[in-house]
């Protein structure tokens, strides 16, 4: 008879225990087990902090699934979809081809993903702490900061390099703070230009105590011990934003540091999100025996499932301890089900909790007893050593730990070429992105928000705003292509998100792509064609002129976001100037529309396949246009407005009340600015002639 096929999705604590137990209970001729995990190894999360702190080698905390699970088919394809009604999974073969595979039973054990998006700027500037890559990258980064601190001659910059900020003081936050503190402080003796006193490790936590999960005496012990070891603990404080400079707290304080680790925020995986099954807080609801509610051949275990523990009738916590037990029992239940026997509800009494706090110290609650200090640390190491999945791992980790006690931690790191990276950055209003005179490192594209370019022209020490750029605009190209320092500073006007392309990669792209080179050279010509630079007289003549004095009224008829394309075309035809504003529900500026936009829109629609276009004339503007108005505020200068028009190659510009209040108050036309300039020049000429005549007489 053909063996039944059991597909397991995941390769963590739950999936591995499940596959191991099932393999031990059913012969390969009766049951084929296929385990799909994105990586070809199991990550032993409790040891990630040790990897980041360089107290164990990277591979000791990652066990290869193939070697751990003999008799199980291990696959590294990512499962994209589960079709529960057809009993099929769909995965990408790795070349973009989607393949479907039939199963008799499917087991979801795909854990949870980290979600840095819960705090603005964390995705761009913080390290997550969930997968092996996070720990490896963090370790490399920390050692690199020490090298930077050694190299810099600026004491303020050195302090910034040596400040390590950890957000969250649960188990993983405490463990990573303890390990980083140990790594950096114990390594200072190998550097000449800074000492242990220069190192700051700060842990930020929103509650009034760290480690809320453990007994008060143990968390007090952990806090005091960590503070004594040099960790600064900031309690009752919530991180509200992260930027290149550091972390901003809810009370307005800013922690300036080059390293941010975010240990809070998880989300269910996209595979779980796409499943239409009963869920609670994103986790899949199961029956007590761990089958997905309403399904006969689909099971869910570990962090992705919400399983009521029959022992205390509460939802199981998301820990490795529980995931392992669920894996074991779900496999036994499947065997019972296949043999026609009754299944058993999941029931487990937690054994205890262990948390390392750095400096050969830990806190532990085991079998109702509490331990702290070196004894707890010894237990922590003993328990985890024993829990490691294979004997080869146990030996490796034991050797690493013994090495760590006897010898200093490894400070080597792989140097990578940062100029070839693409990164993302988040800035708060007022933050500088680069300063005039600095050398360019990146080409920046604005994903969200607005920036202003500021220029200091000696002898006047006051910077003047010379341009405003917004979503879709870019900057940095002139400096990179010309290989000279920035001629302006660029500062965030609003919250700004950027995509930054390293100088090396940018030069390669600009060299290889003709359309990109053309676009850049057109922009360069436009920007360097800025007549203020060529005609300082014009700048002097218009710098005192208020923007309001040149405004035309806003067009009578404005469009709404949901105006249809047909109505927009009619309105544009009726409008003599051929320029219309688009407003949102609160009558704020949402976009602009002129004939050129219309042609662009039609060109974009033309490439959509006819069957997907729908009724063209009834399509709304908000579906067809990005909300990307180019505008200036009343308090901007004419100089800024003109440069903005030149920058975007446009001849008119809406003007709003303020940057925070996008109510349109008028339109500025290049032609008006030009005629006022000519008028001023001729006034200046006649005044000059008059003065000359008087002197002569
Ligand atoms: C830093 C840290 C320290 C921790 N310390 C402890 C501790 O000391 N004690 C403790 O009990 N618990 C600890 N935990 C929690 C524990 O690690 C988790 O509860 C446990 O890993 C959950 O196991 P799991 O099998 O459900 O998921 P995971 O171990 O997260 O495994 C899920 C796997 O599924 C894979 N996957 C996801 N989607 C797909 C897909 N579509 N296709 C293919 N594969 C997919 C993932 O790549 C991953 O390998 C810690 C967690 C972290 C992050």
């Amino acid at each position: 008879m053909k063996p039944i096929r059991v597909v397991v999705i995941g390769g963590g604590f739950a999936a591995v225990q499940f596959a191991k137990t099932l393999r031990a209970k059913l012969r390969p001729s009766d049951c084929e087990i296929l385990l799909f995990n994105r990586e070809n190894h199991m990550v032993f999360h409790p040891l990630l902090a040790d990897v980041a702190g360089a107290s164990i080698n990277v591979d000791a905390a990652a066990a290869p699934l193939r070697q751990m699970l003999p008799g199980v088919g291990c696959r590294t394809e990512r499962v994209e979809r589960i079709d529960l009604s057809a009993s099929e999974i769909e995965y990408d073969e790795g070349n973009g081809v989607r393949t479907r595979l039939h199963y008799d039973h499917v087991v979801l054990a795909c854990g949870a993903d980290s979600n840095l998006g819960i705090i603005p700027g964390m995705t761009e500037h913080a390290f997550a702490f969930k997968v092996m890559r996070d720990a490896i990258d963090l370790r490399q980064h920390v050692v690199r900061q020490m090298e930077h601190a050694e190299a810099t001659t600026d004491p303020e910059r050195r302090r910034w390099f040596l400040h390590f900020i950890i957000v969250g003081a649960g188990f993983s936050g405490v463990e990573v703070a303890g390990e980083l503190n140990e790594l950096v402080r114990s390594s200072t003796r190998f550097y000449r230009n800074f000492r242990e006193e220069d190192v700051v490790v700060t842990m930020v936590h929103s509650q009034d105590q760290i480690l809320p999960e453990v007994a008060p005496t143990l968390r007090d012990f952990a806090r005091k011990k960590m503070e004594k070891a040099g960790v600064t603990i900031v309690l009752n404080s919530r991180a509200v934003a992260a930027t290149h400079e550091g972390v901003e707290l809810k009370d307005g304080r800013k922690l300036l540091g080059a390293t941010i680790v975010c240990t809070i925020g998880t989300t269910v995986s996209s595979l779980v999100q796409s499943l239409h099954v009963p869920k609670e807080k994103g986790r899949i609801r199961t029956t007590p025996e761990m089958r997905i509610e309403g399904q006969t051949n689909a099971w869910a275990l570990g962090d992705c499932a919400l399983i009521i523990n029959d022992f205390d009738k509460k939802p199981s916590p998301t820990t490795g301890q529980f995931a392992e037990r669920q894996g074991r029992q779900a496999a036994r239940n499947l065997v019972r089900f296949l043999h026609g026997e009754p299944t058993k509800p999941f029931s487990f009494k937690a054994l205890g909790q262990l948390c390392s706090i750095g400096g050969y110290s830990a806190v532990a609650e085991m079998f109702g007893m509490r331990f702290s200090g070196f004894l707890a640390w010894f237990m922590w190491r003993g328990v985890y050593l024993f829990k490691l999945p294979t004997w080869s791992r146990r030996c490796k980790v034991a050797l690493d730990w013994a090495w760590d006690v006897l010898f200093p931690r490894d400070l080597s790191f792989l140097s990578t070429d940062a100029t070839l990276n693409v990164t993302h950055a988040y800035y708060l209003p007022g933050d500088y992105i680069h300063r005039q005179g600095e050398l360019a490192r990146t080409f920046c594209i604005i994903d969200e928000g607005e920036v202003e370019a500021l220029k200091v022209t000696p002898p006047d020490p006051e910077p003047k705003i010379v341009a405003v750029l917004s979503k879709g605009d870019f900057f940095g190209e002139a400096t990179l292509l010309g290989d000279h320092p920035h001629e302006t500073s660029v500062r965030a006007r609003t919250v700004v998100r950027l995509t930054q392309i390293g100088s090396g990669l940018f030069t390669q792209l600009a060299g290889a792509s003709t359309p990109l080179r053309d676009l850049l050279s057109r922009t360069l010509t436009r920007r360097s064609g800025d007549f203020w630079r060529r005609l300082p007289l014009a700048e002097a003549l218009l710098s005192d002129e208020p923007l309001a004095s040149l405004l035309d009224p806003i067009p009578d008829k404005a469009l709404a976001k949901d105006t249809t394309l047909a109505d927009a075309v009619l309105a544009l035809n009726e409008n003599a100037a051929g320029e219309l504003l688009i407003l949102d529900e609160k009558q704020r500026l949402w976009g602009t529309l002129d004939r050129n936009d219309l042609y662009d829109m039609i060109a974009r629609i033309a490439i959509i396949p006819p069957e997907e276009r729908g009724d063209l004339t009834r399509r709304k503007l908000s579906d067809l246009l990005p909300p990307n108005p180019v505008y200036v505020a009343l308090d901007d200068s004419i100089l800024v407005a003109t440069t903005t028009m030149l920058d975007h190659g446009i001849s008119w510009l809406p003007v709003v009340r303020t940057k925070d209040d996008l109510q349109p108050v008028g339109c500025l036309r290049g032609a008006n600015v030009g005629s006022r300039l000519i008028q001023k020049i001729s006034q200046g000429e006649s005044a000059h002639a008059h003065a000359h005549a008087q002197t002569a007489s």
Side-chain angles (χ1 to χ4, degrees):
M1 206 176 67
K2 207 169 156 229
I4 62 155
R5 178 180 288 151
V6 178
V7 166
V8 186
I9 304 167
F13 287 90
V16 165
Q17 271 310 322
F18 177 91
K20 218 179 218 175
T21 313
L22 194 66
R23 186 68 299 152
K25 298 221 165 267
L26 296 178
R27 285 187 308 240
S29 53
D30 296 331
C31 173
E32 179 194 15
I33 309 173
L34 284 179
L35 181 140
F36 287 78
N37 190 52
R38 289 185 298 218
E39 303 86 25
N40 80 343
H41 56 261
M42 172 188 169
V43 178
F44 202 69
H45 290 118
L47 293 183
L48 278 188
D50 287 52
V51 172
S55 72
I56 57 171
N57 277 316
V58 170
D59 55 354
L65 289 166
R66 221 166 269 291
Q67 286 158 294
M68 280 172 74
L69 297 171
V72 173
C74 293
R75 308 276 291 261
T76 49
E77 296 94 321
R78 180 197 181 99
V79 177
E80 304 286 349
R81 216 169 74 82
I82 306 173
D83 185 341
L84 291 168
S85 53
S87 292
E88 285 181 346
I89 60 161
E90 195 174 295
Y91 58 89
D92 185 339
E93 282 185 6
N95 51 6
V97 177
R98 292 270 180 110
T99 304
R100 286 174 82 95
L101 180 83
H102 181 78
Y103 60 77
D104 295 294
H105 284 265
V106 67
V107 180
L108 260 108
C110 50
D113 289 339
S114 51
N115 175 20
L116 299 191
I118 54 166
I119 300 176
M122 285 290 172
T123 313
E124 291 86 351
H125 298 285
F127 287 87
F129 206 63
K130 176 79 181 148
V131 296
M132 190 52 88
R133 183 84 253 159
D134 298 333
I136 298 170
D137 288 350
L138 179 59
R139 171 182 175 163
Q140 301 269 330
H141 171 87
V142 168
V143 179
R144 197 172 292 124
Q145 301 320 297
M146 289 194 276
E147 300 298 341
H148 289 326
E150 177 78 349
T152 185
T153 50
D154 176 352
E156 200 177 312
R157 208 73 192 143
R158 184 174 299 126
R159 272 197 294 281
W160 184 73
F161 285 130
L162 293 176
H163 190 181
F164 304 87
I165 305 161
I166 289 92
V167 179
F171 278 95
S172 45
V174 165
E175 286 183 357
V176 76
E179 276 297 321
L180 292 192
N181 191 48
E182 189 69 20
L183 166 66
V184 183
R185 288 186 192 281
S186 67
S187 305
T188 50
R189 63 195 162 108
F190 298 107
Y191 294 87
R192 289 179 171 197
N193 294 337
F194 59 90
R195 286 172 303 171
E196 210 189 314
E197 302 83 87
D198 299 320
V199 174
V200 182
V201 176
T202 304
M203 193 162 56
V204 181
H205 194 51
S206 58
Q207 301 184 18
D208 59 0
Q209 266 301 350
I210 64 170
L211 289 175
E213 303 89 344
V214 307
T217 47
L218 289 181
R219 52 173 110 108
D220 272 354
F221 174 87
R223 183 177 51 78
K224 285 181 191 148
K225 192 85 187 166
M226 291 186 88
E227 282 177 339
K228 199 165 166 215
V231 178
T232 308
I233 300 176
V234 181
L235 295 171
N236 296 314
S237 271
R238 204 173 274 279
V240 289
T243 66
H244 174 70
E245 293 303 310
V247 171
E248 182 162 314
L249 303 180
K250 196 171 178 198
D251 59 15
R253 270 183 295 166
K254 280 192 176 157
L255 303 175
L256 303 181
T259 307
I260 307 169
V261 187
C262 184
T263 63
I264 57 172
T266 51
T267 180
V268 287
S269 75
S270 50
L271 182 64
V272 171
Q273 278 175 35
S274 68
L275 266 190
H276 298 294
V277 293
K279 291 181 204 155
E280 203 171 311
K281 292 186 181 154
R283 291 163 74 191
I284 301 170
R285 287 173 59 100
T286 72
T287 61
E289 55 172 5
M290 289 172 281
R291 257 190 281 203
I292 297 177
E293 279 184 7
Q295 304 294 322
T296 48
N297 64 342
W299 307 66
L301 332 166
D303 283 6
C304 71
L306 192 117
I307 300 166
I308 301 295
N309 183 2
D310 202 47
F311 176 76
D312 56 9
K313 312 288 184 221
K314 290 184 182 159
S316 304
T318 51
T319 65
Q321 213 180 113
F322 272 78
E324 255 185 10
R325 298 311 187 293
Q326 288 164 359
R328 198 173 299 158
Q329 196 178 329
R332 289 181 182 149
N333 273 349
L334 175 58
V335 175
R336 287 188 191 109
F337 173 79
L338 293 172
H339 291 164
E341 297 164 12
T343 53
K344 292 190 177 168
F346 172 70
S347 176
F348 173 57
K349 180 175 186 294
L351 302 175
Q353 285 165 325
L354 291 153
C355 181
S356 155
I357 57 176
Y360 306 114
S361 196
V363 288
E365 283 182 290
M366 296 290 287
F367 308 109
M369 288 182 283
R370 290 173 190 155
F371 308 89
S372 58
F374 183 77
L375 178 64
W377 176 82
F378 198 74
M379 284 171 61
W380 179 86
R381 292 222 150 168
V383 167
Y384 283 123
L385 198 60
F386 183 69
K387 277 174 147 295
L388 280 171
T390 62
W391 274 106
S392 67
R393 295 284 124 179
R394 284 175 206 151
C395 295
K396 242 180 178 172
V397 174
L399 282 173
D400 280 353
W401 279 342
W403 185 275
D404 173 46
V405 174
L406 298 173
F407 300 102
R409 296 185 181 200
D410 186 2
L411 292 179
S412 57
F413 73 96
L414 291 174
S415 71
T416 49
D417 188 351
T419 70
L420 295 178
N421 286 349
V422 176
T423 51
H424 299 275
Y426 178 86
Y427 293 89
L428 292 171
D431 285 352
Y432 275 85
I433 295 158
H434 65 241
R435 290 178 194 265
Q436 190 172 342
E438 284 177 358
L439 276 177
R441 292 176 201 286
T442 53
F443 169 70
C444 303
I445 303 165
I446 304 175
D447 298 329
E448 182 189 320
E450 263 182 33
V451 301
E452 55 200 10
L454 301 145
K455 190 171 172 66
V456 174
T457 317
D460 183 1
E462 278 305 306
K464 277 199 184 133
I465 302 177
V466 292
V468 177
L469 303 175
S470 56
K471 187 176 166 180
D473 289 335
F474 51 80
F475 54 93
E477 75 293 341
T479 317
L480 286 172
L481 295 175
D483 198 20
H484 53 69
H486 287 295
E487 290 185 4
T488 55
S489 301
V490 173
R491 190 169 64 184
R493 249 160 107 93
T494 60
V495 160
V496 168
R497 286 181 202 273
L498 299 178
T499 295
Q500 296 180 312
I501 300 177
S503 53
L505 183 58
F506 172 73
T507 320
Q508 281 178 23
L509 285 173
S513 157
T514 311
L516 177 62
R517 221 178 22 248
D518 287 351
L519 171 70
L520 292 171
S521 68
R522 274 203 307 277
T523 309
L524 277 176
T525 317
R526 243 188 3 241
R527 288 185 179 166
S528 61
D530 164 4
F531 58 87
W532 308 121
R533 231 181 282 168
R534 300 204 177 162
L535 197 58
L537 171 71
E539 179 180 352
L541 288 175
L542 285 181
S543 56
D544 296 334
E545 186 79 31
L547 193 66
S549 71
L550 287 182
L551 286 196
D552 278 356
I554 46 178
D556 295 343
K557 188 165 176 187
L559 303 175
K561 271 164 64 180
D562 49 9
T563 303
T564 60
L565 181 61
D567 289 343
V569 172
L570 273 180
L572 213 52
N573 275 340
E574 285 166 10
N575 178 282
E579 298 156 353
L580 290 171
L581 301 186
I582 308 170
L583 306 181
D584 68 8
E585 308 75 22
K586 294 187 176 160
Q587 301 301 301
R588 290 172 310 200
L589 184 69
W590 184 85
T592 54
L593 187 75
D594 61 21
R595 297 212 167 88
N596 284 337
D597 296 321
L598 207 60
Y599 299 143
D600 286 350
M601 218 151 59
I602 291 168
R604 275 203 301 274
I605 293 170
I607 56 174
I608 303 175
E611 62 279 10
E612 288 172 29
R613 273 182 219 156
D615 181 356
L616 235 184
T617 51
R618 300 178 73 85
R619 296 281 294 265
K620 292 178 183 166
L621 289 179
S622 53
D623 299 338
L624 301 168
L625 280 171
N628 183 22
V630 181
Y631 61 86
V632 287
L634 258 186
D635 56 0
D636 282 319
S637 66
I638 290 190
L639 203 75
V640 171
T642 316
T643 321
T644 305
M645 281 193 269
L646 282 167
D647 249 347
H648 290 86
I650 50 178
S651 58
W652 71 288
L653 198 60
V655 179
V656 295
R657 199 177 302 282
T658 66
K659 276 173 271 170
D660 304 319
D661 173 7
L662 300 191
Q663 301 283 336
V665 290
C667 288
L668 183 75
R669 282 174 219 291
N672 293 5
V673 180
S675 38
R676 177 59 57 89
L677 185 63
I678 290 165
Q679 191 189 354
K680 284 224 168 190
I681 291 174
S682 64
Q683 276 168 3
E685 291 276 296
S686 60
H688 181 70
H690 182 65
H692 189 69
Q694 274 192 340
T695 318
S697 66

